[in-house]
């Protein structure tokens, strides 16, 4: 056992004395030490219930013969951080979470981990840590919140953001806006649509790192507590069999994740997180493979914001395993892979039937024959950009219009709410990428304002920043290279014609190469927006979005 180095032998007497100070008994010290990474806090709705999940996991570990050891992971609520300085601090926490978890696991020689995340950066951050540390690990999340209900219709957080746009346009009264505010988020849990948190929790099941139901069982269901106990017990089996994250998260497992991502219509943020997790697992995940997988994988679900069904509906329909079972009917998955259940993918999904053919379309009657996310290339984004195709209306799949150029999110929002954006425009928001933001802010406010003002089917938005999973419409993000490093998006000028063709996976500004070359010769890099603190360090280390915005130390020249 790894923990022998802190609790076995005469030379470890000082170590054991410190365990005594913690209240551990001799019997507890002789058992495997199981780290429980709890993301509980009192500022994130998806995390306020994680104390109960943590207690259930501790009980499960103890019942199966382990000693649970709890330590924390931070979490930012993207919704509360949205639209102001706070959003610069969202994506960057993914690496803090991974780094701090690595530090705790390695410093204390823990034998295994149970990770308890729920929201946007905690799930990928802890998956990155699991792959990096590579000791037996299992995930159990806090679960999604139930959908809200306004005027008899289910709704969610994205509806509130869009209601703000409708209110600004004079299409909604203050009283109606307040009703959305009061009723859209009725319980604890990750927001109820197929946004980033739920996307990543569902993909954790697909990767083989979470038990059945991890992505879909609502936070308020007692079934979630039972799942947590099962996860606590299951980690002991993984430890006994020495099944580790890199045994589970193979290249084929990531290909499965991309396929199910396409079927579910997940958040575009998955295209940022999956490459970063794969990198830690020693797997190169080139985004071009996403289009290859999308071309053969039908889109089976239209969960909010793409449609009017929610996570609770997906759970009742059979959950992630039912979606995987549909895909397996056409042999679209690798099914001989080992998972955290100790069984293969095939064994896990066998018999998991689709109980609602409207929530999960049958494989032969999909919403579309291609997947829910598209990766685009062109002279604006030579290193790719991404769009949630399943949330784009048909008339915007091919679009051409004049560029309306803004160098920050705030200026774009002011123009949208000020009525300066009209049908046919292409809003360009730049210098919001990983380095330029810094932190690659989500653009839920501008996309929601566009939708709320009735322009969702006639205005496109492109950015080197990113989008919330709650965004819908022709919202094209992760433009790489970003403006801050001289990417072509920095060369676009007001009124340039931009051509978007999602079915053909292209995005271009209608300019000759020589014009772009002349503009490039005149372009000058900008001073960093933040020069102190963690964001400044992040800016110096972060790579491009098409590489998952991973951190990479600058090369060091050694003198001879």
């Amino acid at each position: 056992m790894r923990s022998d180095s802190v609790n076995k032998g005469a030379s470890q007497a000082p170590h054991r004395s410190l365990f005594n100070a913690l209240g551990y008994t001799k019997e507890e010290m002789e058992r495997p030490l199981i780290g429980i990474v709890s993301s509980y806090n009192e500022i994130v709705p998806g995390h306020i219930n994680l104390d109960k999940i943590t207690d259930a996991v501790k009980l499960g570990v103890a019942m199966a013969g382990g000693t649970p050891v709890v330590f924390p992971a931070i979490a930012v609520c993207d919704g509360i951080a949205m639209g102001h300085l706070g959003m610069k601090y969202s994506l960057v926490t993914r690496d803090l979470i991974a780094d701090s978890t690595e530090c705790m696991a390695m410093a204390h020689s823990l034998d295994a981990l149970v990770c308890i995340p729920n929201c946007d950066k905690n799930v990928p951050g802890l998956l990155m840590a699991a792959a990096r540390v590579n000791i037996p690990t299992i995930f159990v999340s806090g679960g999604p919140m139930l959908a809200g209900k306004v005027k008899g219709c289910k709704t969610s957080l994205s509806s509130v953001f869009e209601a703000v746009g409708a209110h600004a346009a004079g299409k909604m009264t203050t009283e109606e806006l307040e009703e959305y505010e009061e009723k859209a988020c009725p319980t604890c849990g990750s927001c109820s649509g197929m946004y980033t948190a739920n996307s990543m929790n569902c993909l954790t099941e697909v990767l083989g790192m979470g038990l059945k139901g991890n992505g879909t069982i609502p936070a308020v269901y007692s079934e979630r507590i039972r799942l947590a106990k099962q996860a606590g017990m299951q980690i002991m089996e993984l430890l006994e069999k020495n099944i580790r994250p890199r045994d589970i998260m193979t290249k084929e497992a990531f290909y499965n994740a991309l396929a199910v991502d396409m079927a579910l219509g997940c958040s575009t943020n998955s295209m940022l997180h999956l490459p970063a997790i794969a990198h830690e697992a020693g797997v190169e995940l080139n985004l071009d493979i996403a289009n290859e997988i999308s071309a053969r994988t039908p889109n089976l679900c239209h969960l909010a914001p793409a449609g009017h069904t929610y996570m609770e509906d997906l759970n009742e329909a059979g959950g992630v395993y039912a979606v995987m079972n549909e895909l397996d009917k056409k042999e679209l998955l690798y099914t001989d892979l080992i998972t955290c259940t100790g069984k293969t993918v095939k064994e896990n999904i066998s018999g998991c039937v689709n109980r609602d053919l409207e929530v999960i379309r049958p494989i032969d009657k999909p919403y579309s024959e291609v997947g829910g996310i598209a990766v685009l290339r062109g002279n604006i984004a030579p290193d790719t950009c991404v769009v949630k195709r399943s949330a784009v209306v048909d008339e915007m799949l091919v679009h051409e219009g004049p560029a309306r150029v803004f160098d920050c999110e705030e200026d774009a929002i002011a123009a949208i709410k000020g009525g300066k954006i009209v049908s046919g425009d292409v809003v360009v928001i730049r210098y919001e990428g990983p380095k330029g933001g810094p932190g690659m802010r989500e653009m839920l406010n501008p996309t929601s304002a566009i939708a709320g003002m009735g322009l969702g089917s006639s205005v496109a938005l492109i950015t080197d920043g990113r989008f919330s999973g709650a965004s819908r419409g022709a919202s094209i993000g992760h433009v790489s290279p970003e403006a801050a490093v001289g990417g072509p998006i920095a060369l676009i000028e007001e009124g340039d014609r931009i051509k978007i063709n999602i079915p053909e996976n292209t995005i271009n500004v209608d300019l000759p190469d020589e014009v772009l070359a002349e503009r490039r010769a005149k372009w000058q890099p900008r001073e960093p927006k933040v020069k102190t603190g963690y964001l400044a360090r992040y800016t110096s280390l972060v790579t491009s979005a098409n590489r998952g915005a991973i951190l990479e130390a600058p090369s060091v020249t050694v003198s001879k």
Side-chain angles (χ1 to χ4, degrees):
M1 288 291 177
R2 284 164 46 86
S3 57
D4 288 354
S5 62
V6 296
N7 60 18
K8 296 291 191 301
S11 61
Q12 273 66 46
H15 304 71
R16 288 193 296 275
S17 70
L18 292 169
F19 278 98
N20 288 335
L22 289 165
Y24 285 97
T25 65
K26 181 180 178 181
E27 291 78 8
E28 286 176 300
M29 281 186 267
E30 290 176 348
R31 296 174 178 177
L33 294 181
I34 310 301
I36 300 176
V37 194
S38 174
S39 299
Y40 168 77
N41 66 39
E42 296 183 348
I43 190 63
V44 184
H47 290 233
I48 192 69
N49 66 319
L50 295 190
D51 55 343
K52 297 177 177 61
I53 302 296
T54 301
D55 288 344
V57 169
K58 288 175 63 179
L59 184 57
V61 168
M63 286 192 296
T67 296
V69 181
V70 179
F71 62 90
I74 63 169
V76 164
C77 177
D78 278 20
I80 295 174
M82 194 72 64
H84 56 91
L85 176 66
M87 182 44 71
K88 294 180 185 290
Y89 285 90
S90 172
L91 177 61
V92 304
T93 64
R94 186 186 71 180
D95 296 275
L96 285 173
I97 292 161
D99 292 349
S100 60
T101 301
E102 174 195 355
C103 291
M104 291 294 286
M106 300 304 290
H108 301 102
S109 295
L110 300 176
D111 295 306
L113 294 174
V114 181
C115 294
I116 309 175
N118 208 29
C119 288
D120 298 42
K121 308 311 163 305
N122 298 81
V123 185
L126 289 176
L127 284 167
M128 289 165 66
R132 188 186 302 172
V133 175
N134 201 33
I135 59 177
T137 304
I138 196 169
F139 277 64
V140 57
S141 76
M145 70 170 62
L146 297 178
K149 188 167 285 188
V150 175
K151 294 180 173 61
C153 297
K154 286 184 178 180
T155 191
S156 61
L157 179 66
S158 59
S159 300
V160 188
F161 278 95
E162 292 183 12
V164 171
H167 182 263
K171 298 180 179 182
M172 181 178 288
T173 67
T174 299
E175 291 74 18
E176 289 172 323
L177 176 60
E178 289 174 349
E179 184 177 9
Y180 275 96
E181 176 185 332
E182 291 288 334
K183 297 180 178 179
C185 299
T187 73
C188 64
S190 49
C191 295
S192 57
M194 188 53 79
Y195 310 150
T196 305
N198 292 325
S199 294
M200 294 310 302
N201 280 318
C202 287
L203 295 182
T204 299
E205 279 191 60
V206 184
L207 284 170
M209 294 295 292
L211 299 176
K212 178 184 178 183
N214 181 64
T216 59
I217 298 170
V220 295
Y221 283 14
S222 297
E223 186 182 358
R224 175 65 59 177
I225 300 297
R226 298 199 299 272
L227 183 73
K229 292 176 183 176
Q230 290 165 355
M233 291 185 282
Q234 183 61 24
I235 191 60
M236 299 307 294
E237 179 182 329
L238 295 177
L239 179 59
E240 181 183 355
K241 294 180 177 179
N242 195 29
I243 298 174
R244 296 179 292 172
R246 291 194 183 191
D247 301 323
I248 295 171
M249 290 193 287
T250 62
K251 178 177 69 175
E252 291 78 13
F254 283 101
Y255 287 178
N256 281 353
L258 285 171
V260 178
D261 189 319
M262 298 302 171
L264 286 172
C266 290
S267 163
T268 51
N269 279 316
S270 64
M271 296 294 104
L272 197 64
H273 299 320
L274 287 175
I277 300 162
H279 173 76
E280 296 290 353
V283 174
E284 183 179 351
L285 196 64
N286 189 313
L287 283 188
D288 287 325
I289 193 67
N291 281 341
E292 294 179 31
I293 292 174
S294 178
R296 61 177 181 262
T297 308
N299 177 226
L300 304 181
C301 300
H302 267 191
L303 295 149
H308 300 289
T309 53
Y310 295 82
M311 295 306 296
E312 63 202 66
D313 302 311
L314 178 60
N315 187 62
E316 293 301 317
V320 174
Y321 278 13
V323 175
M324 294 175 73
N325 206 21
E326 286 290 341
L327 294 179
D328 191 43
K329 291 176 182 178
K330 290 194 174 181
E331 300 182 344
L332 295 172
L333 299 176
Y334 295 91
T335 58
D336 60 347
L337 311 179
I338 193 66
T339 71
C340 69
T341 66
K343 300 177 182 178
T344 64
V345 171
K346 187 72 172 181
E347 291 172 308
N348 287 342
I349 67 176
S350 179
C352 294
V353 299
N354 180 358
R355 296 193 291 264
D356 191 326
L357 302 184
E358 288 303 313
V359 176
I360 305 171
R361 288 283 183 89
I363 192 73
D364 55 354
K365 293 183 180 179
Y367 281 101
S368 69
E369 294 293 339
V370 295
I373 289 179
V375 176
L376 315 183
R377 282 184 186 267
N379 65 3
I380 291 175
D383 290 342
T384 72
C385 56
V386 299
V387 61
K388 188 171 183 175
R389 176 182 177 140
S390 59
V392 180
V393 295
D394 289 346
E395 55 266 38
M396 288 298 290
L397 290 173
V398 178
H399 180 75
E400 179 179 345
R404 305 299 310 281
V405 182
F406 304 94
D407 287 349
C408 67
E409 177 187 6
E410 289 82 358
D411 290 350
I413 292 172
I416 295 165
K417 291 185 176 180
K420 296 179 181 178
I421 302 301
V422 299
S423 178
D425 284 348
V426 179
V427 176
V428 178
I429 305 178
R430 62 192 181 189
Y431 294 98
E432 291 285 7
K435 285 184 180 292
M440 203 178 181
R441 288 194 288 181
E442 287 185 341
M443 301 293 159
L444 180 56
N445 275 350
T447 59
S448 297
I450 287 169
M453 299 184 78
L455 296 171
S457 60
S458 60
V459 169
L461 191 155
I462 67 173
T463 180
D464 54 7
R466 61 196 179 93
F467 294 107
S468 164
S471 290
R472 61 187 176 97
S475 305
I476 300 166
H478 307 194
V479 170
S480 302
E482 62 175 293
V485 298
I489 191 173
L491 310 178
I492 297 172
E493 295 181 0
E494 187 81 7
D496 287 346
R497 301 293 294 181
I498 292 178
K499 296 181 176 182
I500 300 164
N501 192 318
I502 296 173
E504 294 186 3
N505 304 112
T506 61
I507 181 168
N508 291 285
V509 58
D510 191 15
L511 291 172
D513 291 343
E514 53 267 28
V515 173
L516 289 174
E518 290 171 5
R519 293 182 184 180
R520 179 172 300 284
K522 298 176 183 177
W523 179 83
Q524 293 292 324
R526 300 188 176 192
E527 283 287 312
K529 294 177 184 176
V530 181
K531 298 181 181 180
T532 60
Y534 178 59
L535 287 181
R537 296 198 299 276
Y538 183 87
T539 301
S540 69
L541 299 175
V542 71
T543 62
S544 182
N546 68 298
R547 296 183 58 198
I550 60 172
L551 301 188
E552 190 170 77
S555 59
V556 177
T557 302
V558 180
S559 59
K560 296 182 179 180

